[in-house]
Amino acid sequence: MLIAGNWKMHTDLSAAQVLARNVAAAVAERGAALDDVDLAVCPPFISLEAVRDELADTDVAVGAQNMHFADEGAYTGEVSAPMLHSVGCRYVILGHSERRQYFGEDDAGVNSKVQQAVDHKLIPIVCVGETKAQRDGGDAEAVVRTQVRGALKEVPIEGAEQLVVAYEPVWAIGTGDTATPEQAEAMHAFIEEVLAGLYGEEMAPDIEVLYGGSMKPHNARSLLEQPHIDGGLIGGASLRAEDFLGIADAAVTATKGPIA
Ligand code: 13P
């Protein structure tokens, strides 16, 4: 189970430090209770190093929100995998719908970044998800299948731990309108089938597939209890340490299974 916070374009340096410090304190308070839940936060690039330092005494990993596909070069304004490594990143979010929507990213571009991340031993959190119109038109599965296959085309992985996928229905992001546990579970099971086609029946169930889209402390448990939902990618609620950790608490409860 992985609970990852995507801070998006929020927090300047000092706000990021305060938030990371609050996350560290809330994690320390919970002690061993969080042993079975992996946590990560993905602040803006400029705060990665400072956030890593604030979290140094915890097991909370740090990730980036995007990355370039080349090691280095004349790419003004871009950040590379080796740079992310040098500030202690373990994860990198790739293909977020906001990157697709506002910055013209497509499956082929995401694919080259995913390949680069894996080559550099960063764990890509590959985001996929349909729009409302696509869901209403009955195309949700076809869209997600195309995105998963496109992003992972010819990306060999040696083990399930090298890859994370996040299902983020675009209509649920930042809207307060979360997918129902049944809708999310059905899509996660479908994504596992697509992953099985790429990486085999054996590895696919172990590849973590996170749900993202208005996950909050009050709705997290019912989502995380679903058999194919392996964690959450949290936007808004990751900007308050207590809300973020509230979702981690729900993950702990969910891993213990539904109440009989
Ligand atoms: P919200 O949790 O704010 O809906 O954002 C989800 C998301 O986009 C995480 O990447």
Side-chain angles (χ1 to χ4, degrees), residues 4-8 93 96-98 125 127 166 168-170 172-177 211-216 232-239 247:
N6 174 8
W7 295 2
K8 306 192 180 184
I93 297 171
H96 193 281
S97 64
E98 288 152 14
I125 301 177
C127 300
E168 299 207 307
V170 176
I173 295 177
T175 57
D177 203 9
Y211 169 80
S214 299
M215 191 185 272
K216 310 287 177 193
L233 184 55
I234 322 299
S238 71
L239 295 172
I247 294 173

Side-chain angles (χ1 to χ4, degrees), residues 140-152:
E141 288 193 351
V143 167
V144 168
R145 179 173 48 223
T146 301
Q147 289 175 336
V148 172
R149 286 190 184 156
L152 299 175

